[in-house]
Amino acid sequence: MKKVAQTIFLFSTLLLWFPGIGQDKTPNTNYTYKKGEPSGIGKWYMGREIAYVMGYQGMQWLDRPEREEEENTTTLLLNMEIEPNDNIADIGAGSGYHVFKMAKLARNGVIYAVDIQDEMLEEINSRKERDQIKNVRVIKGGEKSIKHSRKFFGQGTYGRCLS
């Protein structure tokens, strides 16, 4: 018992002596701060301004026709190297913009569209039914976790995750 108490004391002393030794204090040079668009937060990552969190009210903006030209989403999907049997989780799926593009590529796999907003999930479900897309599963997520279970995700392996 004395040895355990000594070990705990030594460990506690070392923690007090070297606080935060594991934290990286060097600034991340990928981020810059400057005035930008009203829809942005003024923080830029690799040359692109970070937007505010998107609510369902901005759903039409997510599906805008010029999005491909502005964001080059085709390159994103090509870089993911999606295979026909892939199972992919899109965390924060929004209106399903990427979900349905990935569903065509992973035609024998499953795309899990996870979002916390019911309105976004309703939109994905409507489009899924309208276009008769069979390989998309809609999952209501939470603010701190996906709340997934084997009931939804099964026991498959997930080669890709888009968030």
Side-chain angles (χ1 to χ4, degrees):
M1 182 68 174
K2 187 176 179 182
K3 194 139 184 118
V4 172
Q6 288 174 335
T7 304
I8 291 173
F9 175 76
L10 178 62
F11 185 68
S12 300
T13 304
L14 288 173
L15 280 177
L16 292 172
W17 192 264
F18 298 105
I21 197 167
Q23 296 181 6
D24 183 10
K25 303 226 187 307
T26 57
N28 186 332
T29 57
N30 289 327
Y31 290 102
T32 56
Y33 298 86
K34 61 184 176 181
K35 188 167 176 63
E37 297 292 322
S39 62
I41 64 172
K43 184 176 183 180
W44 298 67
Y45 179 73
M46 297 178 68
R48 183 164 181 214
E49 188 174 17
I50 299 171
Y52 286 102
V53 174
M54 176 64 66
Y56 71 90
Q57 299 88 343
M59 198 177 317
Q60 292 172 335
W61 181 81
L62 291 173
D63 293 323
R64 66 195 183 281
E66 61 274 12
R67 186 169 181 183
E68 170 60 37
E69 183 180 332
E70 292 173 356
E71 298 179 14
N72 199 6
T73 56
T74 299
T75 300
L76 166 74
L77 297 175
L78 288 172
N79 287 339
M80 289 179 70
E81 298 178 355
I82 297 171
E83 299 291 331
N85 294 318
D86 280 348
N87 296 319
I88 304 168
D90 185 349
I91 314 300
S95 63
Y97 179 83
H98 293 295
V99 168
F100 296 106
K101 292 176 183 287
M102 291 186 294
K104 290 177 186 174
L105 299 171
R107 59 191 169 277
N108 301 325
V110 178
I111 310 300
Y112 294 94
V114 182
D115 207 279
I116 63 172
Q117 297 180 75
D118 292 326
E119 296 84 356
M120 295 291 200
L121 298 174
E122 288 171 14
E123 176 66 22
I124 294 171
N125 269 325
S126 294
R127 184 166 171 195
K128 180 181 144 181
E129 289 174 20
R130 182 191 73 215
D131 296 343
Q132 298 180 347
I133 297 171
K134 305 287 185 211
N135 65 333
V136 170
R137 306 285 181 276
V138 176
I139 298 173
K140 170 83 170 169
E143 294 173 2
K144 296 188 181 198
S145 72
I146 300 170
K147 299 179 184 175
H148 69 81
S149 69
R150 287 189 178 158
K151 173 184 173 189
F152 293 111
F153 289 111
Q155 296 180 3
T157 56
Y158 302 90
R160 313 281 184 270
C161 181
L162 179 65
S163 62

